[in-house]
Amino acid sequence: MSAARVEPTGRRLPDPKTCQRLAEQMLALTLKAGADGAEVLVRDGTELEVKVRLGETELIKEAGSRALGLRLLKDARSAVTYTSDFTPAAMERFARESVELAGLSEPDPAGELPAREEMARELPDLDLWDESVLSLDVAEGLRRARAGEAAAMKLDKRITNSDGAVFGRSVGASAFATSAGFSGSARGTHVSFAVEPICDDADGKKRNGVYWSASRFASGLGDPEAIGLEAARRTLAKLGARKIPTGAAPVVFSPEAGRGLVGQLAGVLSGGALWRRSTYLAGREGTAVASSLCELVDDPLIRRGPGSRAYDGEGLPSRTNVLVSEGILRTFLCDVYAARKLGRRSTGSATRAIGGGPHVGVSNLILRAGRTPAAELERLDRGLYVTDLMGFGFNAVTGDYSQGAGGFWIERGERAFPVTEITVSASFDDLWKRVDAIGDDLDTRSSVQCPTFRVTEMMIAGS
Amino acid sequence: MILDAIDVTLAERLLAAALGSGGDYADLYFEHRAGADFVLEDGRVRTVGRGVTLGLGVRVLRGDATGYAYTEELAEDRMLEAARTAAQIASSGAAPGPISIQPVALADRYPVSEPTDARAGVDKIALLRRADAAARAFDPRIVRVEASLAEEQREMLVVTSDGHLARDSQPMIRFGVSAVAEEGEGASRQRQVGRSGGAGRFGLEFFARPGQSPEEQGREAARLAIGMLHAVEAPAGPMEVVLGPGESGILLHEAVGHGLEADFARKRTSNYADRIGQPVASSLCTVVDDGTVDNARGSINVDDEGNPGRRNVLIENGVLVGYMQDRLSSKHFGIAPSGNGRRQSFRHEPLPRMTNTFLAPGEDDPEEIIKSVTRGVYAKRFAGGQVNISNGDFVFALTESYLIEDGKLTAPLKGTNLIGNGPEVLRNVTMLGSDFELSQGTWTCGKDGQSVPVGIGTPTMKIKQITVGGTKTR
């Protein structure tokens, strides 16, 4: 792709080589301004979002943005700064002021840059760029949104309203350059599509449901009508939702709901939380923290993966980390800082945003699929199938968990009626140890992925 | 200020380009935001951060439809390109006539006596050290302390094709302390975290306010961590609940606040749509959204569409009297904007949003409210909540709560959630205290992927029945 290619609106496409040149320029300016070492991240991206509601265009949003984040070290003191002003004079002033700022912090040997030999050498091609995404323009986005919403509205006359259909496209490039001996760049595309119909329920309440699709490739986005129909079916299934009595019961989590629980594990399996004594899993390596069915991996190397990356936020090579296997906690994820605080080695798990320094993060965090057909998990005499979770109810330090939930009550293996306005609670330790079945239906749409899974018992608070 | 360089003739050229395809209305939103943050972790200033963003957002409206584009490069050709991109929402129509731009006069709701940028970084680090020392001195079981200070100055300039021009400079200071407490050894070790903090549109005079000194914040974080070490399992099921003053405003924010944002009413996607003039809460309840409270976190001299911040009564003695409006919705309803059109940054289109949303005080003695409960839960501090706009179900997380037994607070409870349905819960408000507080906490509201700072407040209130999401059956 040449940097000179121009989109219809006249904006240049994000270009990795341009990003890398800017990152290297800023690195040189920062070292010249007196820093002992520095890391520079440059991101350039365009976004397109179009929304249709009740057949009419509601929003067309299109723009590009580029920014730079710097972390530098001087006498083992560090500063983290960011800017979006790339004029030469501003870049030079930014470098100088950033070096001065480091004088305010205190020397911290753990904060030094990684060792040169830790840096990534060969970068894998993870197939994250799809040229054909570029042809999905405003007109095509609107066409898909209209078609998806119309399919949903047409399915059943009880669908009386809509929160619309949204098509989104992002195209991004980034580069990372560090005086520790790495300079690299990457690019990627991403498209998404969602439909959200609304029904009026008998009690005067409204019921909404949503279905969505997302992919790095245009071909992975699916048919808009099919997505609209699935959204409509999910919305209609909620008609007549009610509370259930308070009590303990088995709980099945759909892949969409379960994703929220798996995502919480990212925080408590972080080396950053471990050295801060802020995870209930502290001291538990080598012991059972989940049922023997559970295998949890963080894998940045999946081709076309939503969270895939060729190198980590400090320029270390990406690698697959097994966090839990056969229910045993194998390791915590570490960036270089957490590793030094804990006397370990980095697991290549640094993430980095423009506005902050590196910290421990996940790429594609996956609870591996099991062998049981997902539908079989609902073969319960009585139990709860959870499709939606809401609110904040997880204490990482103690593992106490409680969230608002919605879904279906199961009786004699069937979804008997929809459920709303209840909470599900358990300690996280109990919850994961009580997983007695894992489905074969891994949901790969987002970077935190899981299949349907079942917990033998949780407390449900309702009526 | 930096945005002074934007002149009126440039704004006129950009607005003409934005309306060049026949839009009904256009606005320009210039924003310059400078922030710094300082973090003290385990007694050491690990790093300091600073950043600046600058950009222009251009919006074009055509009926109920929005075209939006932005740029970080304020060169005229880039800005014109953004204007023409936003213009694509419209495809036909006459070129606009000349625009006559007049400044909007604004009150100053956030006077600052000690601007943060007038003081050296070391003075701010000294504040962090004071909080750290106070937390550690509170109890030997405090094993870890982290304290942070963030400051931000947001300058904005809105110019509309109606001819309004409004400038504002919005300060924000935020302070936070977290403390970890440990007790016991090995498998029986208990560990808890306590967090305290505050925020507002202040300079460093913020720390002289009651409860906001670094020492008070440090001790409060430590007190919460220590107090929770012996917390017991929370009950599960419907119960009588007393919510303490201030932070309980999270209930208002979730149970009714979002549902009264006018975009949901306009699209009829909220269960408060078409309900003006109807009872939607107990007659004890008067709910207000007020962007004019001095120095409060959610206050705005002007909203992000150029309309002055206002005090708006939403529910009066239980009857719904109005929604929070942005320009698009107010045009739809044919009424005046209410000063609630807000956006996260120049990269975002405005939406109807809350400012400081609270429940007006009642007449009951707060102690009598607690005494009136035989068995229930008293909730004092909260972590956050969420609402489903369509069906009105909302949930919010308790971080400090106690069992009430025979009118007295007894055991501290582990963190849990309360879940309810907005209109039902507000009908179940049976007592309302005379002890109103606006929370000084760092509350941030998220909607459609946009975050804005808000304020919340309530007096002590009693709810006849709401579901407590604990783990223990009674």
Side-chain angles (χ1 to χ4, degrees), chain A residues 47 66 106 276 402 420 425, chain B residues 41 45 70 129 393 417 469:
Chain A
E47 62 163 326
R66 189 163 69 180
E106 291 165 307
R276 291 180 171 92
S402 150
T420 189
S425 308
Chain B
E41 205 169 13
V45 182
Y70 57 84
R129 293 204 187 286
D393 287 357
N417 269 284

Side-chain angles (χ1 to χ4, degrees), chain A residues 128-148:
Chain A
L128 306 178
W129 177 267
D130 176 15
E131 196 80 19
S132 63
V133 160
L134 304 176
S135 64
L136 301 179
D137 58 5
V138 170
E140 176 60 14
L142 286 170
R143 188 194 70 74
R144 289 182 185 220
R146 283 208 174 84

Side-chain angles (χ1 to χ4, degrees), chain A residues 266-389:
Chain A
V268 292
L269 287 167
S270 148
L274 182 59
W275 77 258
R276 291 180 171 92
R277 301 200 236 190
S278 298
T279 164
Y280 80 96
L281 292 174
R284 299 278 297 277
E285 275 162 300
T287 71
V289 297
S291 117
S292 61
L293 297 174
C294 294
E295 179 162 344
L296 184 74
V297 298
D298 184 55
D299 188 356
L301 297 172
I302 296 172
R303 290 179 69 80
R304 302 191 181 188
S308 296
R309 50 168 169 72
Y311 51 91
D312 89 343
E314 296 177 290
L316 272 64
S318 283
R319 64 181 230 200
T320 305
N321 288 298
V322 177
L323 298 166
V324 175
S325 62
E326 295 173 320
I328 309 290
L329 173 52
R330 305 294 174 183
T331 190
F332 285 83
L333 294 176
C334 285
D335 61 0
V336 169
Y337 190 87
R340 286 183 185 146
K341 294 293 262 192
L342 294 164
R344 303 179 178 204
R345 313 231 355 141
S346 167
T347 57
S349 303
T351 58
R352 174 83 195 267
I354 291 292
H359 60 273
V360 180
V362 292
S363 54
N364 299 296
L365 180 66
I366 301 164
L367 177 69
R368 292 254 197 242
R371 297 222 164 105
T372 316
E376 283 186 23
L377 272 61
E378 294 177 59
R379 283 192 193 156
L380 289 166
D381 185 44
R382 51 185 285 285
L384 179 69
Y385 182 84
V386 174
T387 55
D388 302 274
L389 289 170

